[in-house]
Amino acid sequence: MASNVEAPERWYLALLGFAEHFRTSSPPKIRLCVHCLQAVFQFKPPQRIEARTHLQLGSVLYHHTKNSELARNHLEQAWFISQQVPQFEDVKFEAASILSELYCQQNMVDSAKPLLRKAIQISQQTPYWHCRLLFQLAQLHTLEKDLVSACDLLGVGAEYARVVGSEYTRYSKGLFLLLMERKLGEVHPLLSLCGTIVENWQGNPIQKESLRVFFLVLQVTHYLDAGQVKSVKPCLKQLQQCIQTISTLHDDEILPSNPADLFHWLPKEHMCVLVYLVTVMHSMQAGYLEKAQKYTDKALMQLEKLKMLDCSPILSTFQVILLEHIIMCRLVTGHKATALQEISQVCQLCQQSPRLFTNHAAQLHTLLGLYCISVNCMDNAEAQFTTALRLTTHQELWTYIVTNLASVYIREGNRHQELYSLLERINPDHNFPVSSHCLRAAAFYIRGLLSFFQGRYNEAKRFLRETLKMSNAEDLNRLTACSLVLLGHIFYVLGNHRESNNMVVPAMQLASKIPDMSVQLWSSALLKDLNKALGNNMDAHEAAQMHQNFSQQLLQDHIAACSLPEHNLISWTDGPPPVQIQAQNGPTTSLASLL
């Protein structure tokens, strides 16, 4: 009898051992791992082993393959069978958690919600899973912009954590709840309150640092959303120091005694990538584009390592957001061909996940619009921005798109009715639609640019000085450089060469530091004419040579970008990203307007 009981355990453990060996091989041998797990069913195992094996197969297929249908089938089996087995909470709730993730990835949100609600209902005696599932459903409501439901769930989670004596999990949910419910006038007091809560909390080092990272990420992203690049620096520095501290601590040094305290808002390895990501966001906004490139490279390298063993959807989201930011940097630094290839890479990532495409379609069309501007395809730029506006419900992104669309209409010069309609909606002097410091400064710049083209130079100077005041206050280097060179151009047209020189020289220095290729091109052209007018022939010759070099670099990059098959993406304005992109015969646009 004893041998009959032990027999299933021996074959099961042997197959499980082989499966784990293949899964953790370098590189992983997923096909062999799946074969070993599937072999378990040949022995007609008891329900506990059957359910666990379905979970393991579903998890491996979900995280390491594109066979989402088979993964879903195994996870649904695991969830169904585990509910019939007493005291089998870990398998039951892990199946529910992963299955709801998969449903969301396949845009089956209506299947994910009832699944999570049922799992939450029956997990109240299992604190860790109850907290985790509540957070997961709250996150789902947040993605759907249903902040009321999300806040209600987080409130339930915070109260539950208090009842079971988990101050750590209570504060994790409480922090998020406070910041989600904020009114704009209450943000800074709330941040101070949250900071005090975190500092005063007494717990083990891993939990304290994890809580601090959570708080600082929320704080940093709040400042970046508000376009306050200078104000965020102390918080960002604290966050970078905090992640260095947490990376030296070992998770198993001190295990919490309360099961509810095992809840973590994000794995340590994912936190490191997230800190790289917010650093890239800051560097891009501030105009430190070489620094943005450096941290993007580090983050993408880390992501590649993580994705070999963990295909969590959040890693793909991190990757897309990193690429979105580095694409904008490339367009500024004069690397359009590389930017276009990276836009195509984002398309490929979105093809693999309907949910990812739903969340990033507007950003993708916005990036294509920015690329179209850089290669002087204004009709395509307008089409891309119009598509992006149709797809977004995010107020800051909407304002950013409208600002860029207004710049397209200004360049075209014959779209007055559409232009004035847009400018009314982003009036920086009256009822500006968002609280972003950066976007409001950009709106003043757009007004200054329009006034310049209309020959209303005093009005243009007023708008541009407002932009300069705002951009200097928050170290918005690109806006500062653009405003300086445009002011320099205005003074040159007015015949005030000395004042023009005082604007253009620092614009060129700042543009070289960023580096911003278009502003360098513009500044060098002005410096050539200015020095000629002032009789500085050697300086004029040097500026002419610089202008020639910048022109050649931009021209070569322009031809390279327009010759790529990916250039045809500029015509895509409807539906999912095209799977195949046909090559075309050479560039179809002119660089004349840039020169």
Side-chain angles (χ1 to χ4, degrees), residues 5-300:
V5 173
E6 290 171 5
E9 288 189 4
R10 286 202 298 269
W11 59 254
Y12 174 61
L13 292 174
L15 286 170
L16 199 60
F18 278 124
E20 185 63 8
H21 167 74
F22 291 131
R23 189 186 73 84
T24 56
S25 296
S26 185
K29 299 173 181 176
I30 299 302
R31 187 182 294 274
L32 293 173
C33 171
V34 168
H35 283 329
C36 290
L37 290 172
Q38 285 175 329
V40 170
F41 299 124
Q42 302 300 317
F43 292 87
K44 296 190 169 39
Q47 278 191 318
R48 294 181 78 86
I49 290 177
E50 185 185 2
R52 189 180 292 279
T53 305
H54 278 300
L55 171 61
Q56 289 162 331
L57 272 166
S59 180
V60 167
L61 290 164
Y62 172 60
H63 288 116
H64 298 284
T65 75
K66 295 178 182 177
N67 197 339
S68 54
E69 290 303 316
L70 189 56
R72 189 173 83 191
N73 181 265
H74 281 293
L75 290 168
E76 286 172 343
Q77 288 288 321
W79 168 239
F80 175 73
I81 296 167
S82 62
Q83 290 178 79
Q84 302 168 35
V85 181
Q87 297 181 334
F88 209 33
E89 280 72 14
D90 279 357
V91 168
K92 187 191 309 179
F93 299 129
E94 187 173 352
S97 178
I98 299 174
L99 182 55
S100 68
E101 271 187 28
L102 192 151
Y103 282 152
C104 289
Q105 199 173 34
Q106 294 184 319
N107 267 358
M108 297 170 62
V109 175
D110 289 339
S111 297
K113 285 180 185 174
L115 170 64
L116 284 171
R117 287 194 194 103
K118 182 171 183 184
I120 287 166
Q121 184 183 355
I122 61 178
S123 65
Q124 293 190 35
Q125 302 306 312
T126 314
Y128 166 74
W129 279 109
H130 191 64
C131 291
R132 179 168 165 175
L133 292 163
L134 277 167
F135 201 90
Q136 196 169 342
L137 184 54
Q139 186 179 32
L140 180 52
H141 282 301
T142 305
L143 289 171
E144 292 192 310
K145 312 296 183 192
D146 182 2
L147 299 187
V148 174
S149 298
C151 285
D152 288 345
L153 283 163
L154 289 170
V156 170
E159 177 59 20
Y160 176 82
R162 184 191 68 78
V163 170
V164 297
S166 171
E167 291 298 301
Y168 164 71
T169 300
R170 180 188 171 203
Y171 287 145
S172 292
K173 292 172 184 286
L175 284 173
F176 202 57
L177 178 62
L178 280 170
L179 288 159
M180 280 177 65
E181 283 189 323
R182 70 187 187 273
K183 304 291 187 292
L184 287 176
E186 299 170 11
V187 170
H188 292 294
L190 275 177
L191 288 172
S192 299
L193 172 62
C194 291
T196 305
I197 288 171
V198 172
E199 292 308 316
N200 291 342
W201 182 74
Q202 300 299 315
N204 77 47
I206 282 277
Q207 289 181 318
K208 178 139 187 167
E209 291 305 312
S210 173
L211 206 54
R212 188 179 279 133
V213 169
F214 188 19
F215 164 64
L216 288 168
V217 165
L218 292 172
Q219 193 172 24
V220 167
T221 50
H222 159 68
Y223 276 118
L224 291 177
D225 277 348
Q228 295 175 318
V229 174
K230 186 176 182 180
S231 302
V232 78
K233 284 182 180 178
C235 304
L236 183 59
K237 190 173 180 180
Q238 282 182 58
L239 178 59
Q240 290 164 343
Q241 290 169 344
C242 197
I243 202 66
Q244 286 178 345
T245 302
I246 209 169
S247 61
T248 63
L249 299 171
H250 297 289
D251 293 335
D252 55 357
E253 278 181 355
I254 309 170
L255 287 173
S257 56
N258 190 333
D261 283 344
L262 290 167
F263 172 84
H264 281 286
W265 72 281
L266 202 65
K268 186 167 67 176
E269 295 77 15
H270 293 191
M271 285 185 206
C272 294
V273 177
L274 182 56
V275 174
Y276 281 140
L277 175 54
V278 295
T279 304
V280 168
M281 291 167 70
H282 174 262
S283 301
M284 194 276 293
Q285 276 198 38
Y288 305 132
L289 303 193
E290 288 177 351
K291 187 177 178 184
Q293 175 66 64
K294 172 185 157 186
Y295 281 102
T296 298
D297 291 344
K298 285 186 175 184
L300 290 174

Side-chain angles (χ1 to χ4, degrees), residues 524 528 536-547 549:
S524 58
K528 177 186 69 174
N536 302 330
N537 293 329
M538 285 185 66
D539 290 339
H541 177 75
E542 185 183 335
Q545 191 60 53
M546 278 196 299
H547 185 263
N549 293 341

Side-chain angles (χ1 to χ4, degrees), residues 414 494 500 548:
N414 59 353
L494 293 172
S500 176
Q548 178 67 18

